[in-house]
Amino acid sequence: MNSFFLTTPIYYVNAKPHLGHAYTTIVADAVIRFHKMLGEDTFFLTGTDEHGDKIMRAAEQQGRSPQEFVDEISASFHDLWPLLGIRHDRFIRTTDLEHRRAVQAFLQRVYDAGDIYFGEFGGHYCYGCERFYTEKELENGLCPQHKTRLEFISEKNYFFKMSRYLPWLKDHIEKHENFIRPHRYRTEVLAMLESGELEDLCISRPKTRLQWGIELPFDNAYVCYVWFDALINYISALGWPNGPDCASRWPGEHLVAKDILKPHAVFWPTMLKAAGLPVYRHLNVHGYWLVRDTKMSKSLGNVIDPLETGRRFGLDAFRYFLLREMRFGEDASFSEDALISRINADLANDLGNLFSRVLSMAAKYFASRVPEPSVLMREDEAVAELCLHSLQNFIQLFGNAQFDTALESLWETVRALNKYVDSQAPWALHKRGDTARLATVMHMLLTAMRKTALCLWPAMPDAAGRMLEQLGSPAAGNAPPVYDLQRESGAFDGLAPGTIVAETSNIFPRIDVKREPSGNVKKAKN
Ligand code: MSP
């Protein structure tokens, strides 16, 4: 059995989770579910990043001890995920003892190999980014991310000889087209590597300045730089260096947003190489969710609460929206208007309507039993072909991190099925008493609907489960999978004649909106 290991970033615990964190974790959950349906042995890792100045300062501001502070915020991430339908296999915290041990073992290994040295360093330090910037990288003297004026710090520190591995990294990226995807980020990283701006990496902080970190195994006057510590979570969670899971599950893939491209595309692969470990398979990079054209941030007060939004509009609809609306790799805008339009157009009108009209016709004409098809006509064959084709497309696109296009491809079938209902007019066949033809049309529709519902399980596990149940198929369980997507895309089958289906369906009710004079959208009661 193929194994598939996927990670999200481990989130900083200086603030509570918002839509941005939820997006990455929901996408990861959907990808994991998709791979389960391909019959793979999946492992899904997420967690929290708990060391460093930023966290220390946030705790200080609240007059609390760092440990007490991180325990509380880490729990808010840990407890949120199941409420968003997310099922991870492991939640790692960088304050876990096994993680701290793994980081020390990693540092020692790289140190023993001669890739860590002691030297003097000066740079513009950004506490928000937890990193030094060179003069060249500043924008008008300000941090390019946070737009704040930076402090110049000079001190003695330990360095990782990253520059030694940069030619190897460039070569690896050039040889593996999909190592970093989408392509725009691959291009960005290659440009970074070609610019000559990358140097060795400062990987320590003197304890005189920061205590909240993992002590270097070879110098107890220093703690480890937070990024060096954090990246190692991807293997410490598998029990590296000695745990058996590491050998069977690593290398995996990562999912991150573009804000942390450099540590994942440059620091991490070179660290792995220096430690003699294989590099990850893919780095999947997405853009930002914007609210009124600006990145969501706590300081701007424009953060969207994922739980509240999921509860108001329905969790499955919310998950669908996130996957469908954002072109993976690019920025997308979040607004309730956009969410409501997708719910009404894609879910209520296209998909919900298809289910409700077909099931009520099946009830009326065949007492809710799947009829036996007779001879297929050209238009029936076209429906079967389109359905299988869109399933195959879906599998290819979803597997290639093109989630929006994968769902779009599925909707071609949904819309085509609605048209097929209109053109075949089962009510007219019934009136004419053409039962054989009516049976074929209904059989085609129900079979295609079942295939579509299967593909929706990764994005909308609950709704897809209900759709499958309405079609007399077991709801797709968690693990082991009951459906094999690859096989399903090869044959237009799956619904035995005689199967009992639901009499009605109302999975995605329309949302009626009333506009308040202020322009705010108010959700009317259904
Ligand atoms: N702790 C580091 C990651 C270490 S991984 C070894 C970190 N944490 S973070 O809390 O700032 O999380 C950043 C990640 O949160 C992004 O890469 C992305 O996955 C998610 N997002 C946060 N805000 C986002 C948006 N506005 N839009 C989309 N995703 C965003 O960086």
Side-chain angles (χ1 to χ4, degrees):
M1 199 190 240
N2 277 347
S3 93
F4 178 79
F5 171 43
L6 181 66
T7 72
T8 70
I10 46 170
Y11 303 110
Y12 286 132
V13 288
N14 57 342
K16 296 244 159 102
H18 62 58
L19 175 78
H21 309 113
Y23 172 74
T24 315
T25 321
I26 287 172
V27 170
D29 181 72
V31 172
I32 283 286
R33 288 173 189 268
F34 170 76
H35 281 267
K36 277 187 198 299
M37 293 186 103
L38 295 180
E40 295 175 12
D41 175 25
T42 60
F43 194 79
F44 176 7
L45 172 70
T46 188
T48 43
D49 186 354
E50 307 186 2
H51 292 125
D53 305 301
K54 205 196 281 208
I55 313 281
M56 180 91 178
R57 287 179 169 218
E60 266 167 15
Q61 264 171 18
Q62 292 194 6
R64 302 167 70 189
S65 79
Q67 191 63 54
E68 189 195 345
F69 178 79
V70 297
D71 284 350
E72 183 189 313
I73 311 243
S74 176
S76 69
F77 280 89
H78 179 270
D79 298 347
L80 171 66
W81 302 141
L83 304 176
L84 296 177
I86 292 160
R87 301 198 185 175
H88 50 74
D89 296 295
R90 170 97 160 86
F91 187 94
I92 189 165
R93 300 181 55 183
T94 53
T95 48
D96 289 346
L97 181 62
E98 315 88 83
H99 173 75
R100 287 190 279 143
R101 287 204 176 126
V103 170
Q104 290 187 325
F106 196 99
L107 281 161
Q108 191 66 52
R109 186 187 274 206
V110 179
Y111 185 75
D112 292 344
D115 279 336
I116 290 177
Y117 64 91
F118 196 52
E120 179 89 34
F121 185 71
H124 302 270
Y125 192 73
C126 173
Y127 286 93
C129 301
E130 308 248 359
R131 56 165 282 205
F132 285 100
Y133 281 97
T134 59
E135 198 74 49
K136 259 196 277 169
E137 288 175 303
L138 299 182
E139 282 174 10
N140 305 321
L142 307 179
C143 163
Q145 292 274 341
H146 293 87
K147 317 287 177 215
T148 44
R149 195 154 294 283
L150 303 185
E151 217 175 304
F152 189 87
I153 295 180
S154 179
E155 61 195 17
K156 284 209 138 207
N157 266 309
Y158 286 89
F159 291 83
F160 164 49
K161 281 188 193 161
M162 191 167 81
S163 52
R164 187 170 170 182
Y165 297 99
L166 297 176
W168 160 82
L169 178 61
K170 186 164 171 282
D171 187 56
H172 186 83
I173 298 174
E174 278 165 352
K175 286 196 178 124
H176 299 83
E177 235 205 307
N178 284 325
F179 181 59
I180 301 171
R181 61 188 180 192
H183 263 202
R184 55 190 295 177
Y185 297 110
R186 175 181 191 261
T187 312
E188 202 174 301
V189 174
L190 282 173
M192 229 185 265
L193 288 165
E194 272 151 25
S195 73
E197 76 189 32
L198 295 165
E199 295 163 356
D200 287 344
L201 183 67
C202 177
I203 57 153
S204 65
R205 299 290 179 263
K207 275 196 188 162
T208 46
R209 188 152 72 76
L210 174 79
Q211 279 103 47
W212 188 240
I214 300 173
E215 201 172 86
L216 299 188
F218 41 81
D219 189 339
N220 63 11
Y222 285 85
V223 293
C224 182
Y225 167 46
V226 68
W227 267 105
F228 203 88
D229 154 3
L231 288 161
I232 294 170
N233 93 85
Y234 298 136
I235 55 171
S236 73
L238 297 176
W240 187 86
N242 301 318
D245 277 356
C246 202
S248 62
R249 300 199 182 275
W250 186 258
E253 343 196 324
H254 305 303
L255 180 63
V256 299
K258 62 184 182 183
D259 52 344
I260 51 178
L261 178 64
K262 189 171 171 181
H264 284 84
V266 182
F267 304 173
W268 182 224
T270 53
M271 285 164 66
L272 286 163
K273 185 74 182 160
L277 291 162
V279 285
Y280 53 78
R281 289 185 205 283
H282 299 289
L283 176 63
N284 303 291
V285 188
H286 63 80
Y288 293 147
W289 279 99
L290 309 175
V291 175
R292 284 186 212 95
D293 296 330
T294 30
K295 189 185 174 206
M296 235 179 312
S297 91
K298 201 180 149 203
S299 50
L300 292 174
N302 63 350
V303 292
I304 304 289
D305 178 344
L307 191 57
E308 203 239 354
T309 315
R311 284 193 172 140
R312 272 182 68 203
F313 295 96
L315 179 54
D316 282 292
F318 175 55
R319 287 176 58 120
Y320 169 78
F321 170 80
L322 293 179
L323 282 150
R324 176 66 187 83
E325 188 77 7
M326 178 176 262
R327 169 130 307 187
F328 193 81
E330 290 168 29
D331 293 349
S333 270
F334 182 88
S335 73
E336 287 193 357
D337 276 354
L339 173 56
I340 293 170
S341 321
R342 281 257 172 238
I343 294 178
N344 284 346
D346 298 6
L347 298 180
N349 269 10
D350 294 340
L351 184 64
N353 195 24
L354 176 70
F355 267 70
S356 90
R357 67 207 289 222
V358 173
L359 287 174
S360 63
M361 287 190 288
K364 205 159 150 197
Y365 309 140
F366 294 101
S368 295
R369 278 177 197 276
V370 177
E372 179 107 44
S374 67
V375 190
L376 298 197
M377 294 190 24
R378 211 157 22 99
E379 46 273 45
D380 311 324
E381 270 158 8
V383 160
E385 235 169 71
L386 177 72
C387 174
L388 293 184
H389 184 69
S390 92
L391 245 73
Q392 286 150 14
N393 255 349
F394 176 85
I395 295 174
Q396 220 227 324
L397 292 164
F398 211 94
N400 203 26
Q402 291 168 272
F403 313 112
D404 52 307
T405 342
L407 289 166
E408 173 69 52
S409 148
L410 214 56
W411 251 254
E412 276 173 29
T413 298
V414 174
R415 290 193 203 104
L417 291 175
N418 274 319
K419 284 202 186 122
Y420 177 77
V421 173
D422 298 340
S423 68
Q424 300 306 307
W427 48 90
L429 295 172
H430 175 68
K431 211 166 169 188
R432 279 211 303 274
D434 191 349
T435 315
R437 183 78 202 119
L438 179 61
T440 307
V441 170
M442 295 304 293
H443 189 270
M444 298 305 294
L445 284 165
L446 292 163
T447 303
M449 281 155 57
R450 177 184 162 282
K451 299 266 188 210
T452 308
L454 280 178
C455 291
L456 288 174
W457 185 65
M460 300 192 281
D462 194 47
R466 278 186 287 146
M467 286 187 264
L468 287 166
E469 272 171 346
Q470 291 184 344
L471 293 168
S473 295
N478 208 23
V482 279
Y483 296 105
D484 176 347
L485 213 47
Q486 203 76 54
R487 202 207 63 73
E488 291 279 352
S489 72
F492 193 75
D493 59 2
L495 257 191
T499 305
I500 297 180
V501 296
E503 287 168 23
T504 51
S505 172
N506 184 21
I507 295 181
F508 301 108
R510 250 192 100 74
I511 295 178
D512 292 319
V513 282
K514 269 204 221 124
R515 274 185 189 281
E516 293 173 315
S518 65
N520 288 340
V521 172
K522 215 175 175 184
K523 193 181 153 201
K525 285 206 178 78
N526 286 307

